[in-house]
Amino acid sequence: MVPQRQLFSLVIKDELILHKTYMAFLKNGGLFIPCEHSLKIGEKVFLLLRLINLSEQIPIAAKVVWVTFAGATSNRAAGVGVQFE
C-alpha cells in the first residue's frame, strides 16, 4: 500500500514572496512553506502551486528536507522546506 501524501495548496502572489520562499540550492529546487503541520524529514508531500498571475495550479510532488518548529530560535517562521522530486 502506498502511503498518502500530505496535500498543500499554495498561492505565491508576487515575485518578492517567490524569491523569499524558493530554495535554488536544493537539487531540482524547492520551497519553504510556512505552516504549523507536524511533518517529518523525508515525508512525501504534494503541492498545488499557483504562481503570480497564472490561473492554473501546478501540481508538484516533493519531499520534506527540513522542519522549523514554532518557537524556533532567531524568530524564524514555523514551516517546512520541501525539495521538488
Side-chain angles (χ1 to χ4, degrees):
M1 183 173 167
V2 177
Q4 187 80 5
R5 288 182 184 243
Q6 184 80 5
L7 176 65
F8 288 93
S9 182
L10 188 62
V11 177
I12 297 181
K13 296 181 180 182
D14 62 49
E15 284 188 45
L16 179 62
I17 293 172
L18 178 59
H19 287 286
K20 285 183 176 182
T21 60
Y22 183 68
M23 299 184 301
F25 58 88
L26 293 174
K27 182 179 179 184
N28 301 327
L31 287 174
F32 177 77
I33 303 171
C35 67
E36 299 283 331
H37 294 280
S38 56
L39 299 171
K40 297 178 183 163
I41 301 290
E43 191 168 345
K44 305 287 184 173
V45 297
F46 193 77
L47 308 176
L48 292 175
L49 179 63
R50 182 169 291 147
L51 292 174
I52 304 168
N53 291 321
L54 297 178
S55 60
E56 308 172 352
Q57 290 181 320
I58 303 165
I60 301 172
K63 70 177 176 179
V64 176
V65 293
W66 94 62
V67 177
T68 303
F69 296 100
T73 58
S74 304
N75 293 324
R76 294 184 178 186
V80 295
V82 298
Q83 181 178 26
F84 302 147
E85 293 187 333

